[in-house]
Amino acid sequence: MSKASPRSTAVRAVDPTLAALFDVHEATLPNGLKVRLLANHQAPVVSLYTFFQVGSRNERPGITGISHLFEHMMFNGAKKYGPKMFDKTLESNGGRSNAYTSNDMTVYYDDFSADALETVLDLESDRMRSLRISQETLTSEREVVKEERRVRVDNEIPGMMDEELGTLVYKAHAYRWPVIGWMADIENITRDDCQQYFRTYYAPNNAVLYIVGDIDPKKTLALVKRYYGNIPRGPTPAPVLNAEPEQKGERRAVVRHPAQSPSVMIGFRGPAASNEDTLVLDVVQYVLTKGEGSRLVKSLVYDQKAAVSVMLDWSWRIDPGTVLFYLELKPDSDPAKVEALLYAELEKLAREGVTDKELQKAKNNLRADHLRELSTNSGRGHALGHYEALLGDWREGLSLPTFYSAVTAEQVKAVAAKYFAPERRSVVTLHPEAGANEPGDEEAADA
């Protein structure tokens, strides 16, 4: 998708069973904060999600990783609740909290007993209104993030390869850099950068609040207005331009690093979340790698014994994302030969499609996973907020069972032929350094 946002113009047919269960009360405060309230009185507990429409795609060279760094900063105190008081206050009320940053959004969530709702709203609104951004806090959290990067990227083979793959798949788009950011940028982000970031992206007009659980929607909205209503709007964030050029051929890179076995990571340029091909690719993902009996696991791991494991990651994104395959090989494997076996399976899928049994199994598993997430307060808050952030309307998520059930074998063939074309792929191969052990082996031996 070439536009800055995936906002849909119409909602697909909503599953009637789900529609009856999701009586979402919607409101928008004068300062732009969007509020979504969903009552569920099965247990006296509540989940609160705050979705900020900002992720690594909103960054620029020089401050890559600031979205993730700022996620850490948000737990270090504000005007009313000082350092360490957020978690202490929440936990004393039987609650827990966490957060995550992705390419497209930053999400904070709290689970707590229903009688602590007002306290949690006070906590969350305090840090949205008046977060404490000190040089001391920045210095401390910067070191935490740098260590996180060392562990998850610099010294982890999949992380290292994924970072290299991003620079192959994307030449112009912000998806090119990792969510955690480049190390030099993390080291050089300033307090002024953080303050400007906070004013722009953590303003109420760039946030959606989901509250799900044992609540009275009318009373809850009144509380939200009391605690959030006087937080000032921020400037309208600049739109993200998708200037990524068309890929015209295969791209390759080699990583040499201490390891016991070679690995291959392959990315195919995919569609945006709002493109219906995305949902067909969901079905394709389940056909290929969901379960021990899935096509690629059965063929490459068990029948041909060409790989130790095979993984497919297809994650929705606002702009066109990546269909990613990761294969761990045996020590004496030839990566080129294993690649060829994978491509043969993908070509077979595009040429012959799927069996009725495979297609129905994929649909059943998709529906089960979808409904499983919607079975809890936290799952509902996360899922609906995720759909709204990526598709423009939370109702789109309630249409998924209907859409998946209607996917045909011909659609699977067409999508496989389109997205698994050789000219759309980028390949990173890990070649183990001669005579080297995998990271961590020496420490393990010493222990």
Side-chain angles (χ1 to χ4, degrees):
M1 185 174 181
S2 60
K3 296 181 180 179
S5 171
R7 300 296 179 258
S8 54
T9 56
V11 178
R12 289 184 290 264
V14 174
D15 183 287
T17 303
L18 292 180
L21 297 174
F22 287 83
D23 181 18
V24 177
H25 296 253
E26 301 180 83
T28 301
L29 305 192
N31 61 9
L33 177 67
K34 296 177 182 177
V35 184
R36 312 290 185 246
L37 308 172
L38 177 60
N40 175 18
H41 302 297
Q42 291 183 329
V45 291
V46 176
S47 291
L48 185 151
Y49 274 79
T50 307
F51 287 81
F52 291 99
Q53 194 76 60
V54 60
S56 61
R57 93 189 258 278
N58 300 91
E59 299 166 358
R60 56 175 171 76
I63 60 167
T64 66
I66 192 172
S67 300
H68 173 254
L69 174 61
F70 211 85
E71 174 203 318
H72 286 249
M73 299 280 286
M74 282 288 282
F75 289 90
N76 281 281
K79 185 176 181 179
K80 183 175 181 179
Y81 295 93
K84 299 183 180 180
M85 288 300 297
F86 185 96
D87 286 335
K88 183 177 180 180
T89 304
L90 183 64
E91 290 168 7
S92 69
N93 282 275
R96 60 174 183 166
S97 69
N98 213 328
Y100 70 86
T101 306
S102 73
N103 301 95
D104 300 311
M105 67 190 79
T106 307
V107 183
Y108 298 83
Y109 51 99
D110 312 294
D111 298 317
F112 50 92
S113 60
D115 58 5
L117 175 60
E118 187 168 356
T119 298
V120 176
L121 291 174
D122 193 20
L123 283 167
E124 288 289 359
S125 61
D126 182 42
R127 63 178 177 175
M128 183 189 288
R129 178 187 296 104
S130 53
L131 183 69
R132 177 178 176 266
I133 305 175
S134 68
Q135 185 60 49
E136 178 185 6
T137 298
L138 173 59
T139 300
S140 174
E141 294 304 333
R142 189 200 315 276
E143 292 305 312
V144 173
V145 172
K146 286 168 62 179
E147 183 60 22
E148 186 177 337
R149 182 188 158 82
R150 292 186 190 102
V151 171
R152 297 185 179 181
V153 180
D154 298 339
N155 291 293
E156 184 181 71
I157 288 171
M160 195 182 310
M161 295 177 71
D162 183 63
E163 187 169 273
E164 189 69 29
L165 184 68
T167 65
L168 289 182
V169 175
Y170 301 102
K171 299 301 182 184
H173 197 284
Y175 290 157
R176 175 179 174 83
W177 49 77
V179 172
I180 202 167
W182 302 121
M183 183 66 89
D185 287 352
I186 297 169
E187 292 174 338
N188 286 283
I189 292 170
T190 67
R191 181 169 174 265
D192 287 343
D193 291 331
C194 291
Q195 289 177 323
Q196 182 178 356
Y197 180 94
F198 178 69
R199 288 192 296 268
T200 302
Y201 294 108
Y202 275 69
N205 49 297
N206 198 50
V208 184
L209 195 66
Y210 272 83
I211 305 176
V212 183
D214 190 19
I215 61 171
D216 178 312
K218 185 177 180 179
K219 293 179 180 179
T220 300
L221 181 58
L223 287 173
V224 171
K225 289 178 178 178
R226 180 192 306 173
Y227 286 99
Y228 288 84
N230 64 351
I231 302 176
R233 296 177 66 97
T236 301
V240 177
L241 176 66
N242 177 19
E244 186 64 34
E246 179 184 358
Q247 184 172 342
K248 298 183 182 296
E250 182 186 79
R251 301 167 181 170
R252 284 187 172 269
V254 171
V255 172
R256 297 188 181 279
H257 191 78
Q260 294 180 340
S261 305
S263 300
V264 179
M265 188 173 286
I266 304 162
F268 290 88
R269 185 83 65 84
S274 58
N275 188 317
E276 288 195 346
D277 286 348
T278 287
L279 303 185
V280 182
L281 278 169
D282 289 345
V283 176
V284 170
Q285 177 177 7
Y286 274 57
V287 167
L288 291 178
T289 58
K290 177 72 172 183
E292 297 297 295
S294 59
R295 276 207 181 188
L296 294 184
V297 174
K298 184 175 184 299
S299 174
L300 300 183
V301 177
Y302 292 113
D303 293 347
Q304 302 183 74
K305 296 180 173 56
V308 175
S309 68
V310 56
M311 181 270 287
L312 192 167
D313 177 42
W314 168 234
S315 301
W316 298 5
R317 296 188 189 178
I318 287 178
D319 292 322
T322 305
V323 184
L324 187 151
F325 293 87
Y326 178 57
L327 297 93
E328 294 181 295
L329 311 184
K330 297 179 179 180
D332 58 350
S333 295
D334 181 348
K337 291 182 179 179
V338 180
E339 263 191 75
L341 294 175
L342 172 65
Y343 300 150
E345 288 292 340
L346 298 182
E347 290 165 4
K348 180 180 178 182
L349 179 65
R351 183 179 64 253
E352 301 177 8
V354 293
T355 65
D356 291 342
K357 183 178 180 180
E358 284 179 310
L359 185 59
Q360 192 58 53
K361 178 183 176 183
K363 291 179 178 181
N364 291 345
N365 280 319
L366 270 169
R367 181 176 177 83
D369 286 348
H370 181 244
L371 295 180
R372 191 174 293 115
E373 182 174 27
L374 296 177
S375 66
T376 67
N377 291 333
S378 184
R380 291 178 181 185
H382 178 259
L384 298 183
H386 197 248
Y387 300 140
E388 182 165 0
L390 295 178
L391 304 176
D393 195 313
W394 58 266
R395 295 170 186 80
E396 289 282 4
L398 305 187
S399 72
L400 294 184
T402 302
F403 185 95
Y404 289 141
S405 67
V407 170
T408 66
E410 286 302 314
Q411 284 179 289
V412 170
K413 284 175 60 177
V415 162
K418 179 178 180 180
Y419 292 101
F420 297 146
E423 64 271 15
R424 299 181 72 96
R425 74 184 176 221
S426 299
V427 184
V428 176
T429 306
L430 172 81
H431 289 299
E433 290 185 340
N437 292 321
E438 191 169 356
D441 283 358
E442 294 180 2
E443 290 84 346
D446 292 341

